Amino acid sequence: MSISSEHKPLGKQVTGSLRALSPIVELNVGGEMYTTTLSTLKKHPGSKLAEMFTGQPKLRTDSEGRFFIDRPGTYFKYILEYLRSNQVPTQCIQDVYKEALFYDIEPLIKQLEDSPEIFGELVARKQFLARVPNYSENIELMIRIARAEAVASRRSSVIVCVVRTEEDAAKCQDALNSLDMDKKSVVKFGPWKAVPSISDLLDCIQMDVEAKGYKISFQPHIAEKGFRFKSHDFFYKFLFTWW
Protein backbone atom coordinates (compact mmCIF):
# COMPACT_ATOMS: atom_id res chain seq x y z
CA MET A 1 0.00 0.00 0.00
CA SER A 2 2.80 2.40 0.85
CA ILE A 3 4.48 1.89 -2.55
CA SER A 4 1.34 2.61 -4.59
CA SER A 5 0.54 5.70 -2.55
CA GLU A 6 4.04 7.03 -3.20
CA HIS A 7 3.81 6.48 -6.95
CA LYS A 8 0.24 7.78 -7.47
CA PRO A 9 1.08 11.49 -7.12
CA LEU A 10 4.05 11.05 -9.46
CA GLY A 11 1.77 9.59 -12.12
CA LYS A 12 -0.48 12.66 -11.99
CA GLN A 13 2.48 14.99 -12.27
CA VAL A 14 3.79 13.44 -15.48
CA THR A 15 0.41 12.86 -17.11
CA GLY A 16 0.67 15.96 -19.31
CA SER A 17 4.15 15.19 -20.66
CA LEU A 18 3.34 11.50 -21.23
CA ARG A 19 0.28 12.41 -23.26
CA ALA A 20 2.34 14.82 -25.32
CA LEU A 21 4.57 11.93 -26.36
CA SER A 22 1.61 9.71 -27.19
CA PRO A 23 0.22 9.78 -30.75
CA ILE A 24 -3.28 9.96 -29.26
CA VAL A 25 -4.22 13.28 -27.65
CA GLU A 26 -7.25 14.08 -25.50
CA LEU A 27 -8.41 17.68 -25.46
CA ASN A 28 -10.78 19.76 -23.41
CA VAL A 29 -11.72 22.75 -25.55
CA GLY A 30 -13.93 25.09 -23.56
CA GLY A 31 -15.66 22.13 -21.90
CA GLU A 32 -16.07 20.08 -25.10
CA MET A 33 -14.00 16.86 -25.19
CA TYR A 34 -12.11 15.72 -28.27
CA THR A 35 -9.76 12.87 -29.08
CA THR A 36 -7.40 13.16 -32.02
CA THR A 37 -3.80 12.45 -33.00
CA LEU A 38 -0.72 14.53 -32.44
CA SER A 39 0.01 14.48 -36.19
CA THR A 40 -3.43 15.97 -36.90
CA LEU A 41 -2.87 18.85 -34.49
CA LYS A 42 0.58 19.51 -35.99
CA LYS A 43 -0.52 19.20 -39.62
CA HIS A 44 0.31 22.84 -40.35
CA PRO A 45 3.69 23.46 -38.66
CA GLY A 46 3.47 27.24 -38.81
CA SER A 47 0.13 27.41 -37.03
CA LYS A 48 -0.42 28.40 -33.42
CA LEU A 49 -2.19 25.08 -32.87
CA ALA A 50 0.88 23.14 -34.00
CA GLU A 51 3.11 25.24 -31.77
CA MET A 52 0.94 24.32 -28.77
CA PHE A 53 2.03 20.69 -29.21
CA THR A 54 5.59 21.13 -30.44
CA GLY A 55 8.25 20.19 -27.91
CA GLN A 56 7.08 20.45 -24.32
CA PRO A 57 3.30 21.09 -24.40
CA LYS A 58 2.46 24.74 -23.73
CA LEU A 59 -1.00 24.00 -22.31
CA ARG A 60 -2.44 23.30 -18.90
CA THR A 61 -4.32 20.09 -18.22
CA ASP A 62 -7.72 19.60 -16.60
CA SER A 63 -8.44 17.32 -13.63
CA GLU A 64 -8.49 14.29 -15.96
CA GLY A 65 -5.16 15.11 -17.58
CA ARG A 66 -6.64 16.35 -20.86
CA PHE A 67 -4.96 19.33 -22.48
CA PHE A 68 -7.15 22.40 -21.97
CA ILE A 69 -7.72 25.13 -24.59
CA ASP A 70 -9.79 28.06 -23.38
CA ARG A 71 -11.75 28.62 -26.61
CA PRO A 72 -15.34 27.88 -27.74
CA GLY A 73 -15.44 24.10 -28.00
CA THR A 74 -18.47 24.00 -30.30
CA TYR A 75 -16.49 25.19 -33.31
CA PHE A 76 -13.34 23.17 -32.70
CA LYS A 77 -14.96 20.17 -34.40
CA TYR A 78 -14.90 22.12 -37.67
CA ILE A 79 -11.21 22.87 -37.16
CA LEU A 80 -10.55 19.16 -36.62
CA GLU A 81 -12.60 18.18 -39.67
CA TYR A 82 -10.44 20.45 -41.79
CA LEU A 83 -7.20 19.14 -40.31
CA ARG A 84 -8.29 15.53 -40.81
CA SER A 85 -9.77 15.70 -44.31
CA ASN A 86 -9.29 19.25 -45.68
CA GLN A 87 -13.06 19.69 -45.47
CA VAL A 88 -13.93 23.38 -45.38
CA PRO A 89 -16.94 23.98 -43.09
CA THR A 90 -20.20 25.21 -44.58
CA GLN A 91 -21.85 26.02 -41.23
CA CYS A 92 -21.11 28.68 -38.61
CA ILE A 93 -18.71 30.30 -41.09
CA GLN A 94 -18.16 33.54 -39.17
CA ASP A 95 -17.46 31.72 -35.88
CA VAL A 96 -15.18 29.12 -37.47
CA TYR A 97 -13.31 31.94 -39.20
CA LYS A 98 -12.60 33.54 -35.81
CA GLU A 99 -11.24 30.23 -34.52
CA ALA A 100 -9.12 29.70 -37.63
CA LEU A 101 -7.62 33.14 -37.04
CA PHE A 102 -6.93 32.30 -33.39
CA TYR A 103 -5.22 28.99 -34.25
CA ASP A 104 -3.51 30.71 -37.20
CA ILE A 105 -4.30 27.95 -39.69
CA GLU A 106 -3.41 29.91 -42.81
CA PRO A 107 -4.80 27.54 -45.51
CA LEU A 108 -8.19 27.37 -43.76
CA ILE A 109 -8.23 31.15 -43.26
CA LYS A 110 -7.68 31.73 -46.98
CA GLN A 111 -10.35 29.24 -48.02
CA LEU A 112 -12.89 30.71 -45.61
CA GLU A 113 -12.12 34.20 -46.89
CA ASP A 114 -13.08 32.97 -50.37
CA SER A 115 -16.51 31.90 -49.12
CA PRO A 116 -19.36 34.26 -50.11
CA GLU A 117 -20.16 35.10 -46.47
CA ILE A 118 -16.65 36.14 -45.44
CA PHE A 119 -15.78 37.63 -48.83
CA GLY A 120 -18.89 39.81 -48.74
CA GLU A 121 -18.13 41.01 -45.22
CA LEU A 122 -14.40 41.61 -45.58
CA VAL A 123 -14.06 42.73 -49.19
CA ALA A 124 -17.40 44.38 -49.88
CA ARG A 125 -19.04 45.70 -46.70
CA LYS A 126 -15.96 46.38 -44.56
CA GLN A 127 -14.17 48.06 -47.46
CA PHE A 128 -17.18 50.30 -48.04
CA LEU A 129 -17.48 51.24 -44.36
CA ALA A 130 -13.76 52.02 -44.25
CA ARG A 131 -14.55 54.86 -46.67
CA VAL A 132 -17.23 56.35 -44.42
CA PRO A 133 -15.43 58.79 -42.10
CA ASN A 134 -15.60 57.92 -38.38
CA TYR A 135 -18.12 55.14 -38.97
CA SER A 136 -17.24 53.04 -35.90
CA GLU A 137 -16.99 56.11 -33.66
CA ASN A 138 -20.42 57.27 -34.83
CA ILE A 139 -21.96 53.88 -34.03
CA GLU A 140 -20.62 54.17 -30.48
CA LEU A 141 -21.87 57.77 -30.26
CA MET A 142 -25.37 56.68 -31.29
CA ILE A 143 -25.42 54.06 -28.57
CA ARG A 144 -24.22 56.51 -25.91
CA ILE A 145 -26.92 59.03 -26.84
CA ALA A 146 -29.62 56.34 -26.84
CA ARG A 147 -28.55 55.00 -23.45
CA ALA A 148 -28.48 58.50 -21.96
CA GLU A 149 -32.10 59.01 -23.02
CA ALA A 150 -33.30 55.59 -21.84
CA VAL A 151 -33.95 56.51 -18.19
CA ALA A 152 -37.49 55.42 -17.21
CA SER A 153 -38.37 54.95 -20.89
CA ARG A 154 -39.24 51.99 -23.04
CA ARG A 155 -37.72 53.55 -26.14
CA SER A 156 -35.19 56.20 -27.00
CA SER A 157 -34.40 57.76 -30.35
CA VAL A 158 -31.34 59.11 -32.08
CA ILE A 159 -31.46 61.43 -35.09
CA VAL A 160 -28.94 60.56 -37.79
CA CYS A 161 -27.91 62.75 -40.70
CA VAL A 162 -26.67 60.79 -43.72
CA VAL A 163 -24.95 62.55 -46.62
CA ARG A 164 -23.29 60.88 -49.56
CA THR A 165 -21.61 63.86 -51.28
CA GLU A 166 -19.84 67.04 -50.23
CA GLU A 167 -22.71 69.02 -51.76
CA ASP A 168 -25.21 67.14 -49.63
CA ALA A 169 -23.01 67.73 -46.58
CA ALA A 170 -23.30 71.50 -47.11
CA LYS A 171 -27.08 71.22 -47.51
CA CYS A 172 -27.26 69.07 -44.41
CA GLN A 173 -25.43 71.73 -42.39
CA ASP A 174 -27.91 74.34 -43.58
CA ALA A 175 -30.72 71.99 -42.63
CA LEU A 176 -29.20 71.42 -39.20
CA ASN A 177 -29.10 75.16 -38.59
CA SER A 178 -32.84 75.37 -39.20
CA LEU A 179 -33.72 72.38 -37.05
CA ASP A 180 -35.24 73.04 -33.65
CA MET A 181 -33.15 70.53 -31.72
CA ASP A 182 -29.86 70.06 -29.95
CA LYS A 183 -27.48 69.80 -32.90
CA LYS A 184 -24.91 67.96 -30.77
CA SER A 185 -27.35 65.06 -30.47
CA VAL A 186 -27.48 64.57 -34.27
CA VAL A 187 -25.01 61.94 -35.48
CA LYS A 188 -23.66 62.65 -38.96
CA PHE A 189 -22.50 59.93 -41.38
CA GLY A 190 -20.66 60.69 -44.63
CA PRO A 191 -19.83 61.80 -47.17
CA TRP A 192 -18.17 58.83 -48.89
CA LYS A 193 -16.80 57.85 -52.29
CA ALA A 194 -18.15 54.39 -53.03
CA VAL A 195 -21.02 52.77 -54.94
CA PRO A 196 -23.31 51.84 -51.99
CA SER A 197 -26.30 54.12 -51.46
CA ILE A 198 -27.71 55.87 -48.41
CA SER A 199 -30.11 52.96 -47.87
CA ASP A 200 -27.13 50.59 -47.91
CA LEU A 201 -25.42 52.63 -45.20
CA LEU A 202 -28.60 52.73 -43.11
CA ASP A 203 -28.79 48.94 -43.32
CA CYS A 204 -25.15 48.71 -42.19
CA ILE A 205 -25.83 50.97 -39.21
CA GLN A 206 -28.78 48.84 -38.14
CA MET A 207 -26.79 45.62 -38.67
CA ASP A 208 -23.81 46.80 -36.60
CA VAL A 209 -25.90 48.19 -33.75
CA GLU A 210 -27.94 44.99 -33.60
CA ALA A 211 -24.69 42.98 -33.56
CA LYS A 212 -23.96 44.68 -30.22
CA GLY A 213 -27.21 43.28 -28.81
CA TYR A 214 -29.57 46.25 -29.24
CA LYS A 215 -33.05 46.14 -30.74
CA ILE A 216 -33.27 48.97 -33.25
CA SER A 217 -35.30 50.22 -36.20
CA PHE A 218 -35.23 53.38 -38.31
CA GLN A 219 -37.46 55.60 -40.40
CA PRO A 220 -37.19 58.94 -42.20
CA HIS A 221 -37.30 61.87 -39.80
CA ILE A 222 -39.99 64.33 -40.81
CA ALA A 223 -39.23 67.82 -39.55
CA GLU A 224 -41.71 70.54 -38.72
CA LYS A 225 -43.35 72.79 -41.31
CA GLY A 226 -41.26 75.48 -42.90
CA PHE A 227 -38.19 73.28 -43.15
CA ARG A 228 -35.92 74.50 -45.96
CA PHE A 229 -35.19 71.06 -47.41
CA LYS A 230 -36.95 67.74 -47.58
CA SER A 231 -35.78 66.47 -44.23
CA HIS A 232 -36.10 62.82 -45.25
CA ASP A 233 -33.34 63.43 -47.81
CA PHE A 234 -30.86 63.63 -44.95
CA PHE A 235 -32.38 62.81 -41.58
CA TYR A 236 -33.44 59.49 -40.11
CA LYS A 237 -34.71 58.51 -36.69
CA PHE A 238 -33.20 55.38 -35.16
CA LEU A 239 -35.42 53.94 -32.46
CA PHE A 240 -33.91 51.82 -29.65
CA THR A 241 -36.41 49.57 -27.85
CA TRP A 242 -35.29 48.56 -24.36
CA TRP A 243 -38.13 46.33 -23.16
Side-chain angles (χ1 to χ4, degrees), residues 5 9 47 49 108 110 120 141 168:
S5 63
S47 69
L49 184 61
L108 177 56
K110 290 181 178 179
L141 178 58
D168 285 345

Side-chain angles (χ1 to χ4, degrees), residues 10 14 38 46 52 56 59 61 66 74 85 109 116 151 154 164 167 169 171 174 201 210 219 221-222 228-229:
L10 179 60
V14 300
L38 191 60
M52 291 177 181
Q56 184 68 21
L59 295 169
T61 56
R66 293 174 291 234
T74 304
S85 60
I109 292 171
V151 179
R154 183 173 184 180
R164 185 174 178 181
E167 181 181 357
K171 291 180 180 179
D174 289 342
L201 180 65
E210 287 179 340
Q219 63 188 33
H221 176 61
I222 308 300
R228 289 182 58 188
F229 301 97

Side-chain angles (χ1 to χ4, degrees), residues 145 149 159 176 179-187 235:
I145 293 172
E149 296 181 358
I159 304 301
L176 272 173
L179 276 177
D180 184 19
M181 65 169 66
D182 181 5
K183 298 173 182 58
K184 292 182 180 179
S185 66
V186 178
V187 182
F235 296 96

Side-chain angles (χ1 to χ4, degrees), residues 27-34 67-74 76 103:
L27 300 173
N28 177 346
V29 186
E32 298 282 342
M33 310 307 164
Y34 294 94
F67 291 111
F68 179 72
I69 302 177
D70 194 12
R71 295 294 295 180
T74 304
F76 190 73
Y103 294 114

Side-chain angles (χ1 to χ4, degrees), residues 44-113:
H44 297 284
S47 69
K48 182 177 179 179
L49 184 61
E51 290 179 359
M52 291 177 181
F53 296 92
T54 299
Q56 184 68 21
K58 304 169 180 64
L59 295 169
R60 296 180 179 179
T61 56
D62 65 11
S63 59
E64 300 296 324
R66 293 174 291 234
F67 291 111
F68 179 72
I69 302 177
D70 194 12
R71 295 294 295 180
T74 304
Y75 310 115
F76 190 73
K77 64 181 179 180
Y78 300 109
I79 300 294
L80 272 185
E81 285 178 6
Y82 178 77
L83 294 174
R84 288 166 173 163
S85 60
N86 291 324
Q87 179 179 342
V88 179
T90 57
Q91 303 177 34
C92 309
I93 300 297
Q94 296 280 2
D95 294 303
V96 177
Y97 179 67
K98 293 177 183 177
E99 297 310 296
L101 288 173
F102 173 78
Y103 294 114
D104 196 21
I105 304 173
E106 191 65 29
L108 177 56
I109 292 171
K110 290 181 178 179
Q111 290 184 69
L112 288 173
E113 287 178 348

